[in-house]
Amino acid sequence: MKLIGKTVWTSLLLVGIAVVQNGGSESEVLRLHVAEAAAKSAPASDYANHPAKDAISHGLQKGYLWKYPDGKFHPEQTVTQSQFVASLVAIRQVSEKESVPALPAGHWAKDIYERAQKAGILANVPVNPNKLLTKEEAALLVFNAWKPFRGEKNPNLSNTGALITWGWMKAAPSGQPKFREDLPLLRGDAAEILRYLWTDKWQLEQGAKYAEEFHRSLKIVNGNIVGKVPKGDGDFMTRALFVTKQNSRAIFLNGENFVVPLNQVDSLSFTIINTRDSTDAGIYLYTKLPKLERYKNDQMFHTPRGKSE
């Protein structure tokens, strides 16, 4: 019941934003929430043939995107700062708040922005809920929101360039500079970026669970490292990789047990791999054997996509 309540709260919040931005009153929020729930099960209407159809449907189903009061998504409209911030807050599931003096008491977006402020999403961002976002402004919000998960962006690129290089934002249309920062970010394009974020957070959370299961299995017994690689599923492959002092490799995969002589091992890594796109859902290194201490070495934003540090 607690989870259901949180989901309903988020939906009410997001629908409320759409209401006020389109001239409605806050008293209409509950009625429109009911209409929104019905709209989610209705035909895709104005985005049925849009390239971002799947991303839009995913966001509506997961509750971090919403339609306008007219029941349409309007994928070709430019996303506003408040819409994008609200989606980031919903995906991050931020609950704590921090004051945002730029918004007066009672302002319709104050609650969202206070949550975003606490999460660091508004760092170096002028507060303007109704502002139509450029790609560069949206990319800055993405990097702010995802810094706890993926670290800093490539310092040699603009926010737009770094996000395009990472693969989460489309390049400019053919014939224009690839990293053109001033182009508007349309709601359909925003839906695709936000789906990447939701999926990345989900896979990192799943990776952490597998990593904890693996870590609990590790033991030093009679001069051997003993353990078991957790059994993956259709979404993830799990792998333990031992590097020996002769620089050879011993690899154990999903569900396999292992007994490896400690005196032959130089280091151990445990990796969780997303089988759908081959990205890492977690990399954990054990470099101080026989101490079973680990540190996380996930792929960072400034590392080229598909490679790990």
Side-chain angles (χ1 to χ4, degrees), residues 249-264:
R249 305 287 191 271
I251 299 175
F252 300 88
L253 302 176
N254 300 341
E256 292 184 338
N257 295 292
F258 55 82
V259 179
V260 180
L262 181 61
N263 61 9
Q264 296 181 16

Side-chain angles (χ1 to χ4, degrees), residues 183-245:
L183 290 175
L185 184 73
L186 304 183
R187 280 169 55 83
D189 293 332
E192 293 187 320
I193 294 171
L194 292 164
R195 180 173 61 171
Y196 280 122
L197 299 182
W198 186 94
T199 301
D200 194 52
K201 182 171 181 286
W202 171 77
Q203 76 170 10
L204 289 173
E205 290 170 346
Q206 301 310 303
K209 293 177 183 177
Y210 282 120
E212 188 59 30
E213 183 180 345
F214 176 75
H215 189 68
R216 288 197 304 267
S217 79
L218 290 179
K219 295 178 177 62
I220 304 297
V221 180
N222 297 328
N224 297 310
I225 301 180
V226 178
K228 181 177 181 179
V229 180
K231 187 175 181 180
D233 56 24
D235 293 311
F236 299 101
M237 179 185 76
T238 55
R239 181 188 69 195
L241 169 64
F242 290 88
V243 178
T244 72
K245 293 179 179 178

Side-chain angles (χ1 to χ4, degrees), residues 16-195:
I17 292 174
V19 173
V20 179
Q21 288 182 339
N22 287 274
S25 67
E26 295 184 25
S27 63
E28 297 178 85
V29 172
L30 185 57
R31 177 181 63 79
L32 287 171
H33 172 64
V34 175
E36 176 73 3
K40 286 182 181 180
S41 61
S45 63
D46 68 326
Y47 64 90
N49 298 313
H50 194 276
K53 172 187 174 182
D54 290 344
I56 295 169
S57 295
H58 183 273
L60 292 172
Q61 192 271 324
K62 297 298 182 181
Y64 61 81
L65 288 177
W66 61 99
K67 296 179 182 179
Y68 280 91
D70 63 3
K72 297 181 179 180
F73 185 78
H74 297 287
E76 298 300 330
Q77 286 190 8
T78 303
V79 70
T80 67
Q81 185 186 88
S82 58
Q83 290 169 348
F84 202 66
V85 168
S87 292
L88 293 172
V89 167
I91 293 172
R92 283 280 307 271
Q93 296 183 318
V94 183
S95 58
E96 296 182 1
K97 302 179 184 180
E98 184 176 322
S99 176
V100 180
L103 296 179
H107 191 281
W108 58 267
K110 193 170 182 64
D111 185 79
I112 294 170
Y113 275 75
E114 286 182 344
R115 295 171 194 273
Q117 178 77 358
K118 180 64 176 179
I121 296 171
L122 300 180
N124 301 311
V125 175
V127 173
N128 186 350
N130 294 316
K131 179 176 178 55
L132 300 178
L133 292 184
T134 64
K135 294 176 73 171
E136 179 69 6
E137 291 163 341
L140 172 58
L141 288 165
V142 168
F143 284 120
N144 285 347
W146 237 242
K147 185 176 179 179
F149 304 106
R150 296 295 186 180
E152 301 281 358
K153 74 173 184 68
N154 186 326
N156 298 317
L157 294 171
S158 66
N159 294 300
T160 301
L163 203 58
I164 290 172
T165 300
W166 182 255
W168 285 1
M169 178 180 278
K170 292 179 179 177
S174 178
Q176 301 185 34
K178 179 180 179 181
F179 295 161
R180 187 175 166 187
E181 294 92 354
D182 63 322
L183 290 175
L185 184 73
L186 304 183
R187 280 169 55 83
D189 293 332
E192 293 187 320
I193 294 171
L194 292 164
R195 180 173 61 171

